[in-house]
C-alpha cells in the first residue's frame, strides 16, 4: 500500500526542501558574484590607460626669464666692478666715452628689441640701462662735482633720474616696458627727504618733506592705470606717509606751547587731507585714518593750553565732533562710515583710559574684608583705596564715561543702550571717590544706583524694537552686533553694585546692618516680579544679615548658626510659592544651610542639632511631589545628626552608629519587596545588612574580648539561616561570609598553635595532598560548584 503522509509530516518535508533550495541558491549567487568581480578586474586591467610621459619641468618662458635675469645681473655686476675698480685705468675722456656709450647702447637696444617683439629681453636690457644711469650720476659726482655735498647731490640726482626715467618710459618704443615708470616713481620718493636732510631742516621740515612726497605719490596712485605703477605708488605713499605721521605725532606730543602744537597740528591736517584724498580708491582704510589724524590735529593746541587732566576729554570731544558728518547733506557714504569708525576708535580708547579708575574703585572695596568694622573712613576715596595710592590725573574719567554713554544712548542700535547703561553706571560709581564725598553719601549713592538698576530691570522692555528706537539706527550699525537684553544688563549691574556697597559697608557695624537690611528688603520686594534673579539675591543678603546680627550681638558662631537656619526655612517656603524660581532659591538655601553647618563644626552637640534641623527642612521639602528625591538627603542628615550626637556622648561602639541606619533601611527594603516582589534581595536588604555587619566585623577582629565576636557570630548565623530559609541571596551570602570570618578570628589562636606544633615539612605535604585530591576529583568538584551556582541563582 502507498504511504500517504499526514499533513504535518508533509509540511515538514516541504519546509526541508525549501531550506535546501534556499541554501543552494545562496551558494550559486555567491559564486556568480565572485565570477563577475574576477571578470571586471581582468577587463579593467586590460583597458588601463598607459600613463603619458612626464612633461618638461620648466617651460620655455620660464627658462627665458631665468636666463635674462641672470644675464642682466651679471652685466650689472660687471658694470659696478668697472666703475668702482677699473675706473682709475682710463683718462677722463675715456671714462666718459665708455660709460656714455654703454649707457646709450643699453637704453637704445630695448627700442629695437620691442620693435621685433622681444619684450622680455628688452626688459632685461632696459634694467641694465637704468642701473648704468645711476652709475653715470655717481661718476659725475666723483669726477666733476666732488666738492658738492653728497646729500644735496643725491637729492638732485634722484630728481633728475626720476625725470629721465619717466621720459624714457613714455617713449613710443618703451611704453610697453614695466620697469622704467615704477623705477622713476621710486626715485621720486628721495629728493625732498634728502633735500631736507642736506639743508639741516628740523623735525618739522623733515616731516613736511615726507608728507609732501606722500601727497605727490598719492596723486600718482589716483591716476595710475598700470598695476606696477599703482603698487609702487601705494607702497611709497604708505611708507612716506607713515614716516611723516609718526614724526608729526611725536612733535605734537612733545609740544609745550601753542606755537609748536599749531605747527604739528598743521602737519597732521596735511596728512589727514592726503588720506582723505586717497579715499577715492580705498575709502574703507584711508577715511578712518584721516578721521583719526584730524582728531589728533584738532586736539593738539587745546591739550597744551589746558591742564593734564583734560587731555583725554579734549580728544574725546574732537572725536565726537566727527559724527557731525552724518548731519551734513551730500557727504559720501564712505566718508560717513569712515568718520564713524574713527570716532568709535577715539571713544573706545577714552573708555579704556577711564576704565583704569574703575579698576581701582571696584576692587578697592575688598580691602574692607581684611579689617571689618575698623571705623568709618574719612571719605569715599579713602574707603576704596585703603593703603593703596590714588590714580592721579584721572578726575575727569566719570565725565568721559558719561559723554560716551550719552552718545551711545542716541545711537539707536540694540546693543548701544545697554552699553550706555554700563558706562553710566561706572561713571556714577566713580563720582563719590573722585569728588571725595563723605562715606555716608557714597553708600547712599551706591544704594540709589542699585535701586534704579532693579527698577529698570523690572520696567524696561527687553528689546530695542519695543522702545521704538531701532528705526533710527544708522545703516552703518545695522546688523553688526547682536542685541543684548537690557533687563539682563540692568540685573547684572544691580547685583554688582549691591555687592560693592555691601563690601564698602563693612567698615562700620551700623552701616553693615543698615545696608544689608536695605538690600534684603529691596531684592525681596523685587522677587515678586523677577523671582528667578531677585529671590536668590534676597536670600543671600539675608544670610549675610543674620551673620552680621550674630556678630553684632557678640554671639559665638555656633549660636549664630541657628539664626542662619532661618534662611533655609524661608527658602523652602519660597520655593513652594515660586515654582519658576524654585531651583535657584533652593540652591541658595542649601548654601546657607552649609554655612550654618560650618559655623558649628567646633561644637559637636550644636552641630548635631543643626544637622537635625536641616533634616527637618529637607523632609518638609520632600513632601512636594517634584522633590521626593530630597528625602534621601533628609535621611542622610538625620543619620549624621545621630552619629554626631553619639560622638559627642563619647559612644565608641560602631553598632550605635550603624543600627539606626540599618533598621530603617531593612524596613524600607521589606516594604519594597512587598510592593514589588521581583526586587532583588541585594537591593532590598544588602545596604542595610552591610551597614552594620561590615563595621562590626572590623571591630570584632580588633576586639580582644569574646563578647562582640560571639554576638556578631550569633547575628550572622541568624541572618544566614533566614536567608537560606527564604531563599534570599544577600542575607545568605553576607551572613555566611561574616560568620566564616568571625569563626576564623576565633580559631586563629588555635590555628597558630597547631601550626607552631607541626614540623615545617607538614604544611607543604598537606598542600600537596590537597592539590592531588582536587586534581583527581576535578570534574566532580566542577559539577558541585555548578550545582551550588544554580541553587544560588534560583534565589532572589
Amino acid at each position: 500500500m502507498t504511504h500517504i503522509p499526514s499533513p504535518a509530516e508533509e509540511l515538514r518535508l516541504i519546509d526541508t526542501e525549501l531550506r535546501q533550495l534556499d541554501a543552494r541558491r545562496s551558494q550559486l549567487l555567491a559564486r556568480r558574484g565572485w565570477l563577475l568581480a574576477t571578470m571586471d578586474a581582468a577587463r579593467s586591467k586590460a583597458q588601463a590607460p598607459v600613463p603619458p610621459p612626464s612633461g618638461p619641468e620648466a617651460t620655455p618662458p620660464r627658462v627665458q626669464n631665468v636666463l635674462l635675469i641672470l644675464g642682466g645681473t651679471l652685466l650689472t655686476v660687471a658694470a659696478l666692478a668697472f666703475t668702482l675698480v677699473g675706473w682709475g685705468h682710463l683718462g677722463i675722456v675715456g671714462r666718459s666715452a665708455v660709460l656714455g656709450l654703454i649707457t646709450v647702447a643699453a637704453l637704445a637696444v630695448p627700442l629695437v628689441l620691442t620693435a621685433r617683439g622681444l619684450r622680455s629681453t628688452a626688459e632685461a636690457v632696459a634694467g641694465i640701462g637704468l642701473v648704468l644711469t645711476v652709475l653715470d650720476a655717481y661718476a659725475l659726482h666723483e669726477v666733476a662735482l666732488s666738492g658738492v655735498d653728497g646729500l644735496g647731490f643725491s637729492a638732485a640726482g634722484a630728481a633728475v633720474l626720476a625725470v629721465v626715467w619717466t621720459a624714457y618710459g613714455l617713449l613710443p618704443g618703451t611704453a610697453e616696458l614695466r620697469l622704467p615708470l615704477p623705477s622713476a616713481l621710486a626715485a621720486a620718493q628721495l629728493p625732498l627727504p634728502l633735500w631736507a636732510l642736506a639743508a639741516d631742516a628740523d623735525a618739522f621740515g623733515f616731516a613736511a618733506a615726507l608728507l609732501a612726497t606722500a601727497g605727490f605719490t598719492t596723486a600718482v596712485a589716483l591716476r595710475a592705470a598700470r598695476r606696477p605703477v599703482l603698487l609702487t605708488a601705494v607702497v611709497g605713499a604708505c611708507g612716506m606717509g607713515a614716516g611723516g605721521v609718526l614724526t608729526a605725532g611725536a612733535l605734537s606730543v612733545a609740544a609745550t606751547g601753542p606755537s609748536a602744537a599749531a605747527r604739528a597740528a598743521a602737519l597732521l591736517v596735511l596728512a589727514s587731507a592726503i588720506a582723505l584724498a586717497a579715499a577715492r580708491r580705498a575709502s574703507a582704510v584711508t577715511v578712518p585714518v584721516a578721521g583719526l589724524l584730524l582728531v589728533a590735529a584738532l586736539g593738539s593746541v587745546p591739550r597744551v593750553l589746558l591742564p593734564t587732566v583734560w587731555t583725554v576729554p579734549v580728544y574725546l570731544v574732537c572725536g565726537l565732533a566727527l559724527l557731525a558728518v552724518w548731519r551734513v547733506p551730500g557727504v559720501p557714504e564712505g566718508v560717513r562710515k569712515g568718520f564713524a569708525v574713527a570716532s568709535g576708535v577715539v571713544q573706545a580708547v577714552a573708555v579704556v583710559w577711564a576704565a583704569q579708575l574703575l579698576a581701582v574703585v571696584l576692587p578697592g572695596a575688598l580691602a574692607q574684608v581684611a579689617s571689618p568694622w575698623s571705623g568709618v573712613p574719612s571719605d569715599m576715596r579713602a574707603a576704596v583705596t585703603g593703603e593703596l595710592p590714588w590714580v592721579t590725573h584721572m578726575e575727569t574719567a566719570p565725565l568721559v564715561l558719561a559723554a560716551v554713554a550719552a552718545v551711545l544712548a542716541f545711537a539707536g542700535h540694540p546693543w548701544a543702550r545697554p552699553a550706555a547703561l554700563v558706562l553710566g553706571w561706572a561713571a556714577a560709581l566713580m563720582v563719590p571717590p573722585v569728588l571725595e564725598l563723605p562715606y555716608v553719601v557714597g553708600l547712599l549713592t551706591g544704594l540709589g544706583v542699585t535701586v534704579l538698576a532693579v527698577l529698570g530691570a523690572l520696567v524696561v522692555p527687553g528689546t530695542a524694537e519695543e522702545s521704538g528706537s531701532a528705526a533710527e539706527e544708522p545703516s552703518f550699525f545695522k546688523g553688526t552686533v547682536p542685541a543684548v537684553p537690557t533687563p539682563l544688563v540692568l540685573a547684572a549691574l544691580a547685583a554688582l553694585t549691591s555687592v560693592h556697597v555691601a563690601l564698602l559697608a563693612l567698615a562700620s557695624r551700623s552701616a553693615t546692618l543698615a545696608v544689608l537690611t536695605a538690600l534684603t528688603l529691596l531684592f525681596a520686594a523685587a522677587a515678586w516680579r523677577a523671582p528667578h534673579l531677585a529671590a536668590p539675591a534676597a536670600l543671600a543678603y539675608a544670610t549675610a544679615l543674620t551673620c552680621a546680627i550674630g556678630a553684632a550681638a557678640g554671639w559665638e558662631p555656633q549660636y549664630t548658626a541657628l539664626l542662619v537656619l532661618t534662611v533655609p526655612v524661608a527658602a523652602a517656603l519660597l520655593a513652594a510659592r515660586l515654582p519658576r524660581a524654585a531651583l535657584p532659591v533652593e540652591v541658595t538655601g542649601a548654601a546657607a544651610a552649609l554655612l550654618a553647618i560650618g559655623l558649628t563644626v567646633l561644637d559637636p552637640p550644636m552641630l548635631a542639632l543643626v544637622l537635625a534641623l536641616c533634616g527637618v527642612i529637607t523632609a518638609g521639602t520632600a513632601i512636594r511631589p517634584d522633590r521626593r528625591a530630597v528625602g534621601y538627603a533628609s535621611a542622610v542628615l538625620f543619620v549624621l545628626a545621630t552619629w554626631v550626637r553619639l560622638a559627642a556622648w563619647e559612644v565608641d561602639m560602631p553598632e550605635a552608629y550603624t543600627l539606626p541606619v540599618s533598621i530603617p533601611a531593612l524596613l524600607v527594603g521589606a516594604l519594597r519587596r512587598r510592593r514589588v516582589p521581583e526586587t532583588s534581595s541585594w537591593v532590598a536588604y544588602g545596604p542595610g545588612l552591610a551597614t552594620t555587619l561590615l563595621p562590626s566585623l572590623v571591630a570584632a577582629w580588633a576586639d580582644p574580648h569574646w563578647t562582640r565576636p560571639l554576638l556578631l557570630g550569633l547575628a550572622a548565623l541568624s541572618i544566614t539561616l533566614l536567608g537560606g530559609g527564604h531563599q534570599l541571596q544577600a542575607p545568605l551570602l553576607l551572613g555566611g561570609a561574616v560568620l566564616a570570618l568571625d569563626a576564623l578570628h576565633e580559631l586563629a589562636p588555635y590555628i597558630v598553635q597547631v601550626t607552631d606544633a607541626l614540623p615545617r615539612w607538614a604544611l607543604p605535604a598537606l598542600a600537596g595532598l590537597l592539590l592531588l585530591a582536587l586534581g583527581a576529583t576535578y570534574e566532580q568538584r566542577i559539577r558541585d560548584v555548578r550545582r551550588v551556582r544554580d541553587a544560588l541563582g534560583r534565589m532572589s
Side-chain angles (χ1 to χ4, degrees), residues 13 41 75 173 212 347 394 586 689 793:
L13 293 174
L75 287 175
Q347 295 178 57
M394 294 197 66
E586 290 170 348
L689 293 174

Side-chain angles (χ1 to χ4, degrees), residues 191-204:
L192 288 179
L194 292 177
W195 171 81
L197 294 176
D200 292 331
D202 56 3
F204 176 82

Side-chain angles (χ1 to χ4, degrees), residues 63 109 130 135 166 207 217 263 281 315 330 357 375 389 400 418 430 469 523 551 576 658 709 738 759 766:
V63 175
V109 169
L130 297 180
L135 296 179
T166 301
T217 312
R263 296 175 66 192
R281 286 213 173 197
Y315 285 108
L357 186 58
V400 169
M430 290 181 185
S469 61
F523 286 104
T658 57
V738 172
L766 292 175

Side-chain angles (χ1 to χ4, degrees), residues 422-527:
V422 173
L423 295 180
W425 163 81
L429 290 186
M430 290 181 185
V431 168
V434 166
L435 299 181
E436 297 183 86
L437 296 178
Y439 175 71
V440 177
V441 176
L443 292 181
L444 292 177
T445 302
L447 288 175
V449 172
T450 305
V451 171
L452 291 177
V454 170
L455 292 177
L458 299 177
V459 175
V460 174
T463 58
E465 286 76 6
E466 296 177 5
S467 59
S469 61
E472 302 175 1
E473 177 188 350
S475 59
F476 173 69
F477 294 103
K478 287 182 178 179
T480 56
V481 182
V484 180
T486 303
L488 184 60
V489 174
L490 289 169
L493 295 180
L496 189 57
T497 310
S498 64
V499 173
H500 177 69
V501 176
L503 291 176
L504 288 177
L506 289 176
S508 170
R509 177 185 303 177
S510 58
T512 301
L513 296 175
V515 169
L516 291 178
T517 302
L519 292 176
T520 303
L521 295 177
L522 173 63
F523 286 104

Side-chain angles (χ1 to χ4, degrees), residues 293-360:
L293 293 174
L294 188 59
V295 169
L298 295 177
S300 295
V301 177
R303 183 186 65 83
V304 298
L305 295 177
L306 296 174
T308 306
V309 72
W310 292 99
T311 299
V312 174
V314 164
Y315 285 108
L316 177 61
V317 171
C318 297
L320 296 178
L322 296 179
L323 296 177
V325 297
W326 284 95
R327 303 297 181 184
V328 179
V331 177
E333 185 70 15
V335 176
R336 291 184 176 183
K337 292 181 179 181
F339 274 24
V341 171
S343 178
V345 171
V346 174
Q347 295 178 57
V349 172
V351 169
V352 171
W353 171 81
Q356 300 178 71
L357 186 58
L358 185 64
V360 174

Side-chain angles (χ1 to χ4, degrees), residues 689 693 697 709-723 731-743:
L689 293 174
L693 290 178
L697 179 63
L710 177 61
L711 295 177
L712 177 62
L714 293 176
L717 177 61
S718 302
I719 292 172
T720 304
L721 295 176
L722 287 174
L732 178 64
L733 295 181
L734 282 175
V738 172
L739 180 60
L741 292 175
D742 185 64

Side-chain angles (χ1 to χ4, degrees), residues 45 56 83 87 143 150 158 193 259 301 412 440 488 531 654 688 721 776 794:
K45 184 176 181 180
T83 304
W87 187 256
V143 173
S259 177
V301 177
V440 177
L488 184 60
L721 295 176
R794 288 191 293 269

